Amino acid sequence: MATDKSKPAVIVCHGSYHSPAPYQPLLEYLNSQGFESYCPHRPTCDLSNLNVGDINNPDFNRGPPPGGFPSDSEDVAVVTQLLDKLINREGKRVLLLAHSSGGWVATQAALPEFQYQPRQAHGQAGGIIGLFYYGAFVIPVGQSVNSFFQPKDGPPITPPFMRFYAHGAAGLGTIVDAHKFLFNDLDHEPASKWAATLTAAPIMTVELTNDAYSVLPCAYLVLDQDLTLPKEYQEAMVALQAQNGNVFTVYHTSAGHSPHLSWTEGLVGKVEEFVDVIDGLQ
C-alpha cells in the first residue's frame, strides 16, 4: 500500500442536486487515512445561485436569474481553481473522485496542463494522477450529460427520480423519493437526514471537450444496487470507452447510489487500491 507520505490530495466532484454535506463523512474518513480531501460546491447545485427566493423555503417554480442559471462550465471552473492551488502553487499530486454527474465535471476539469505525466516531462511538480468514478457519468467526448442520456429522436424523458416545475426542463429539477433512489441502503433516519440536504439544478447541456480518458489512469466502481443509475448503464459506459481503447480498472460493490454514506470505508479502500495501481505505473 502507498505510504501516507505519497498519498495524493483527493478532490470529490459531487453529484447534481447535492451540496457537499453528504460527502462530509467521506472527506473525514479520507483525512483519517492520510489523504488531504476537498469537495467544492458546484455553482449549478447551490440554491443561492438559482433564484429560488428563501433558500430555506425554496420556490422552484421561479424562472432563471437575470443572467441565467450557472453553467456546467462554472462547475468546472471551481474545480480547476482548486487544482491550480494544489498543483501549481503547492506541487501536490491529486486524484479526482467523481460521483454521479460529477463524472462530467471531473473529466472536463482534468486538463492536460494539470496532468501528472506531462508536468513531470517538463520538470514540474505534482499533477492529476488519475480519475476514480463511482456510480458516475462517463460521458463521451463531444456529448453533454443531457444529449448522452436523452433519446436522439422523440420527446425528452424525465427519469423517475426527477421532478421539473413550472418552467419544465428549462427550469430547475429536483430529486423525488430520495430514500428509494439515492439512499436505498441506508436506514430511514440517516436517509431522511441526508435527503434534507438535497438542492436543485438545471439540466447539464455543455459538451465534454477534454479527452482525459485516453491519457489518465481511470477506475470505475460499479454500484450493483444503484437504483438511480443501474449497474447495466454503468457497465455500458465503461464498455463504450473500452471500444475506444480506453482502459478502466473496474471494481464492484453491492452498495446503492451513495456509497460515500453507506460504504464509506470500503469506498476509501478502493481508492487506496487504485492509488497503488497508479503508483505501480509511475
Side-chain angles (χ1 to χ4, degrees):
M1 180 172 291
T3 64
D4 285 352
K5 184 176 180 181
S6 69
K7 287 182 177 179
V10 176
I11 298 177
V12 179
C13 297
H14 68 75
S16 295
Y17 323 110
H18 284 67
S19 74
Y23 300 86
Q24 292 308 307
L26 173 61
L27 299 183
E28 290 170 8
Y29 193 72
L30 282 165
N31 292 341
S32 77
Q33 299 306 299
F35 294 95
E36 178 183 337
S37 61
Y38 303 86
C39 184
H41 199 168
R42 292 169 54 182
T44 59
C45 308
D46 185 342
L47 292 181
S48 66
N49 297 326
L50 303 181
N51 193 39
V52 296
D54 181 359
I55 62 173
N56 296 309
N57 185 28
D59 177 5
F60 298 126
N61 287 305
R62 292 187 175 200
F69 291 121
S71 75
D72 310 334
S73 297
E74 290 176 67
D75 292 343
V76 173
V78 169
V79 177
T80 56
Q81 288 168 11
L82 181 54
L83 287 168
D84 178 65
K85 172 182 179 292
L86 295 175
I87 295 171
N88 289 330
R89 284 185 266 166
E90 299 177 9
K92 292 177 179 174
R93 299 195 309 157
V94 176
L95 178 73
L96 291 173
L97 180 57
H99 177 231
S100 200
S101 68
W104 184 94
V105 177
T107 309
Q108 186 73 349
L111 298 169
E113 66 200 72
F114 294 124
Q115 295 168 6
Y116 180 81
Q117 294 291 1
R119 292 179 62 84
Q120 288 294 296
H122 290 89
Q124 297 171 301
I128 299 169
I129 62 169
L131 291 156
F132 188 111
Y133 302 90
Y134 69 99
F137 300 170
V138 177
I139 305 299
V141 174
Q143 294 202 45
S144 69
V145 170
N146 187 63
S147 70
F148 182 68
F149 284 106
Q150 288 293 338
K152 303 301 181 250
D153 300 304
I157 296 173
T158 300
F161 53 85
M162 280 194 64
R163 175 187 175 188
F164 290 106
Y165 296 83
H167 295 268
L172 296 172
T174 61
I175 292 288
V176 298
D177 203 359
H179 290 67
K180 173 183 177 180
F181 289 107
L182 297 187
F183 310 124
N184 57 307
D185 52 354
L186 291 178
D187 291 337
H188 182 77
E189 185 174 345
S192 296
K193 171 186 174 181
W194 298 118
T197 70
L198 294 173
T199 65
I203 61 173
M204 298 179 67
T205 59
V206 178
E207 292 182 354
L208 184 74
T209 59
N210 183 45
D211 183 11
Y213 309 121
S214 65
V215 183
L216 289 167
C218 294
Y220 200 106
L221 175 63
V222 178
L223 312 179
D224 291 343
Q225 300 301 318
D226 193 333
L227 299 181
T228 302
L229 186 66
K231 77 170 190 174
E232 292 79 10
Y233 282 84
Q234 300 172 58
E235 292 171 334
M237 288 187 292
V238 174
L240 183 60
Q241 290 301 318
Q243 291 175 16
N244 294 328
N246 300 326
V247 178
F248 279 60
T249 301
V250 178
Y251 305 103
H252 280 262
T253 176
S254 61
H257 192 64
S258 302
H260 45 277
L261 294 170
S262 64
W263 198 61
T264 312
E265 293 185 16
L267 173 55
V268 173
K270 293 303 180 186
V271 168
E272 291 185 305
E273 285 186 39
F274 184 51
V275 170
D276 286 346
V277 169
I278 295 171
D279 286 345
L281 299 173
Q282 294 179 350

